[in-house]
Amino acid sequence: NISTWLQYNITRYGNGERLLLVRDVTRLHNLEQMRKDFVANVSHELRTPLTVVVGYLETMIDSDDGSNSRWQRPLHQMQQQARRMQSLLNDLLMLSRLETAEATTEEKPVDIALMLPGIRKDALALSGDRQHEITIENATQVRLTGLEMELRSAISNLVYNAVKYTQDGGSIQVSWSQDDRGARFSVTDNGPGISPEHLHRLTERFYRVDSSRNSTTGGTGLGLAIVKHVLMRHEGELQITSTVGKGSTFTCVFPPERLI
Ligand code: ADP
């Protein structure tokens, strides 16, 4: 089963002449495929041992009778880091699935409005000691044809990010609008904002604006890459606007054919 991948490029000159460049990119394509398979396999293989480690750590923490209290702090730290690793592996697997999955027949009507209260509740739980206000606007009739698990993942990533990066007392608006040109799902926060030079790189894998600030928020740097891929699979796109010191808006744009 040998296939060749060719890349075409046509340049038009003012005098009407054209230059056709054909490049054989089979090797590049195969290397890229190997990279994707490797990431998917390693993430998959690491999941089981990590589940065992997390399970035993939980048992050790729960069964503490006070006689070994000097181990409590390190055990909690190990548990926290092991959970971080788990969410990293889950995100990597999700990304690999998104990259490799072909057009699928699992698409069905998805009621986004039904998802939002649960996502809001989980996001508020992420706030920890901070207080956030999350309002949901205009989202009563919100239905799309698509992949439910993926759409949920994209939307929750955006809402969780708004909570993760917005300071105590911050407010977050989740809103929906639609017309004959399509639908827009937006998450707006009044957090720190992002300066323009970072905006076009945010959806790259592992790209984080400020890794020292981010090390406390426990993210993986894969969230927005996942959002971008989910939207691409729904013929949509992610738009980001942000002002430093004022806040950010992340908007998922869906084409009209997706609306029900
Ligand atoms: P992470 O796991 O680090 O949150 P993401 O891919 O979700 O990864 O986001 C990439 C980076 O974009 C984050 O590390 C953060 O610096 C920035 N970012 C994302 N959402 C926001 C937001 N609502 N406000 C400010 N910065 C954000």
Side-chain angles (χ1 to χ4, degrees):
N1 186 10
I2 301 168
S3 46
T4 305
W5 290 80
L6 300 176
Q7 195 177 57
Y8 294 90
N9 194 340
I10 298 177
T11 314
R12 289 165 211 269
Y13 294 103
N15 61 5
E17 282 180 4
R18 288 169 196 191
L19 177 70
L20 170 66
L21 259 175
V22 182
R23 212 156 68 102
D24 181 345
V25 288
T26 311
R27 222 175 94 80
L28 211 67
H29 175 86
N30 291 347
L31 276 173
E32 181 68 0
Q33 193 56 45
M34 269 168 66
R35 179 193 64 77
K36 287 178 188 165
D37 292 347
F38 178 76
V39 172
N41 292 338
V42 170
S43 320
H44 189 77
E45 292 301 319
L46 286 177
R47 264 213 314 194
T48 314
L50 197 56
T51 309
V52 176
V53 171
V54 170
Y56 276 117
L57 280 170
E58 246 156 49
T59 314
M60 286 162 89
I61 289 169
D62 290 346
S63 63
D64 175 53
D65 58 2
S67 57
N68 265 326
S69 55
R70 71 193 168 105
W71 286 108
Q72 277 303 309
R73 226 172 98 86
L75 280 175
H76 274 107
Q77 270 170 1
M78 283 158 79
Q79 188 186 40
Q80 195 186 356
Q81 296 303 325
R83 287 200 176 137
R84 253 192 97 173
M85 252 195 272
Q86 275 182 321
S87 68
L88 180 61
L89 291 180
N90 286 339
D91 280 357
L92 277 172
L93 270 176
M94 174 96 190
L95 252 185
S96 318
R97 264 206 23 233
L98 287 168
E99 279 180 337
T100 47
E102 301 296 324
T104 160
T105 52
E106 299 157 38
E107 291 191 353
K108 56 176 191 161
V110 181
D111 194 331
I112 309 266
L114 270 184
M115 286 181 188
L116 293 178
I119 292 177
R120 178 177 180 275
K121 195 165 157 237
D122 292 345
L124 286 173
L126 266 184
S127 299
D129 297 335
R130 298 164 302 154
Q131 294 283 329
H132 289 112
E133 190 188 29
I134 305 181
T135 49
I136 301 177
E137 292 162 9
N138 271 347
T140 42
Q141 271 297 326
V142 184
R143 277 156 58 85
L144 287 176
T145 308
L147 297 158
E148 178 158 10
M149 210 182 82
E150 294 184 5
L151 289 169
R152 176 187 292 279
S153 166
I155 288 172
S156 50
N157 262 307
L158 295 180
V159 181
Y160 296 169
N161 271 356
V163 167
K164 270 193 319 200
Y165 297 107
T166 301
Q167 66 289 347
D168 188 18
S171 58
I172 291 145
Q173 281 102 39
V174 175
S175 66
W176 178 269
S177 66
Q178 67 183 68
D179 54 29
D180 50 4
R181 283 173 304 148
R184 302 166 75 81
F185 170 84
S186 306
V187 180
T188 300
D189 64 58
N190 62 352
I194 303 154
S195 54
E197 72 269 24
H198 296 293
L199 288 182
H200 69 285
R201 299 198 57 192
L202 289 185
T203 56
E204 282 174 23
R205 262 170 268 194
F206 297 112
Y207 189 82
R208 312 187 74 192
V209 171
D210 172 357
S211 47
S212 62
R213 180 176 80 192
N214 290 341
S215 62
T216 51
T217 60
T220 60
L222 294 172
L224 292 178
I226 290 177
V227 176
K228 178 182 138 181
H229 275 88
V230 169
L231 292 178
M232 270 164 49
R233 300 237 297 155
H234 290 82
E235 301 90 35
E237 61 163 352
L238 178 66
Q239 292 174 353
I240 310 171
T241 54
S242 190
T243 311
V244 173
K246 285 226 157 84
S248 317
T249 298
F250 291 78
T251 304
C252 305
V253 185
F254 296 98
E257 307 79 60
R258 289 272 165 196
L259 286 172
I260 303 171

